[in-house]
């Protein structure tokens, strides 16, 4: 008698990001002006000219064992003024495939999205939600090279977040 058994498993030679049930969306937002201190992260998020939008990027190396080397996070901001702005997030490591996601910011008027300098904060090993002071990161998350998080170990306790703020600006015509 020959019996075959198939069980779901992760068979990877290296790290994989954000692929398990319970993982959060890669990028979400909250309106920090209309709802200060809100942890109601969503996509899309709504705002008006002058509002500060909190942007939250989540990461989790789901493979126990291999460390994701030279992990980087980048969020590219859209250019120009529109009512619906789409931010493009990317998470990758030297030994892990990149994952991408988007966040839409809706406004009742045309706005441009501007990064607020000095607002990037890292919450390593945060699991559920960012809390506490976090570690200030250098500006650069809104560039193609992004910011470096170094090595990220694989398992739930090493999941974390990178947060920053953008401001919605309307130029009167």
């Amino acid at each position: 008698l020959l019996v075959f058994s198939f069980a779901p498993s992760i068979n990877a030679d290296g790290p994989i990001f954000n692929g398990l049930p319970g993982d959060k969306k890669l990028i979400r937002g909250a309106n920090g002006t209309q709802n200060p201190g809100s942890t109601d992260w969503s996509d899309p998020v709504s705002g008006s000219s002058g509002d500060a939008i909190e942007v939250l990027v989540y990461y989790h190396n789901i493979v126990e064992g291999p460390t994701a080397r030279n992990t980087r996070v980048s969020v590219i901001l859209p250019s120009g003024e529109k009512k619906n702005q789409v931010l493009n997030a990317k998470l990758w490591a030297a030994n892990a495939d990149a994952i991408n996601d988007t966040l839409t910011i809706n406004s009742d008027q045309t706005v441009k999205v501007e990064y607020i300098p000095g607002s990037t904060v890292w919450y390593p090993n945060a699991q559920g939600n960012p809390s506490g002071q976090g570690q200030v990161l250098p500006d650069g998350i809104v560039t193609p090279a992004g910011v470096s998080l170094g090595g990220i170990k694989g398992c739930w306790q090493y999941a974390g977040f990178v947060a920053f703020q953008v401001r919605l600006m309307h130029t009167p015509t």
Side-chain angles (χ1 to χ4, degrees):
L1 178 65
L2 202 51
V3 178
F4 292 96
S5 173
F6 295 98
S9 67
I10 297 173
N11 182 10
D13 293 333
I16 298 172
F17 288 113
N18 301 11
L20 292 179
D23 274 329
K24 314 260 189 246
K25 190 175 180 315
L26 178 62
I27 184 171
R28 298 173 291 158
N31 189 314
T33 299
Q34 294 178 15
N35 303 304
S38 173
T39 56
D40 184 21
W41 303 102
S42 64
D43 178 21
V45 64
S46 295
S48 300
S49 180
D51 286 356
I53 304 296
E54 308 275 343
V55 179
L56 188 66
V57 179
Y58 168 81
Y59 65 86
H60 172 213
N61 173 2
I62 68 172
V63 181
E64 269 190 79
T67 296
R69 295 187 324 270
N70 192 23
T71 303
R72 300 190 77 78
V73 176
S74 171
V75 178
I76 302 302
L77 303 181
S79 61
E81 289 195 22
K82 295 178 255 188
K83 286 187 175 184
N84 303 306
Q85 296 282 9
V86 178
L87 286 65
N88 292 288
K90 180 179 177 182
L91 169 67
W92 73 102
N95 59 335
D97 290 338
I99 62 170
N100 299 279
D101 197 3
T102 60
L103 167 65
T104 301
I105 301 174
N106 296 318
S107 180
D108 56 353
Q109 61 186 320
T110 58
V111 293
K112 63 181 175 178
V113 178
E114 294 180 351
Y115 171 76
I116 297 176
S119 67
T120 304
V121 180
W122 179 25
Y123 299 92
N125 311 326
Q127 297 176 30
N129 278 309
S131 60
Q133 292 267 168
Q135 176 182 333
V136 175
L137 291 177
D139 291 334
I141 191 157
V142 295
T143 66
V147 292
S148 176
L149 305 181
I152 304 296
K153 293 180 182 178
C155 205
W156 285 106
Q157 69 262 33
Y158 304 112
F161 300 88
V162 176
F164 65 96
Q165 296 179 350
V166 295
R167 184 155 323 274
L168 304 182
M169 301 300 292
H170 174 72
T171 307
T173 53

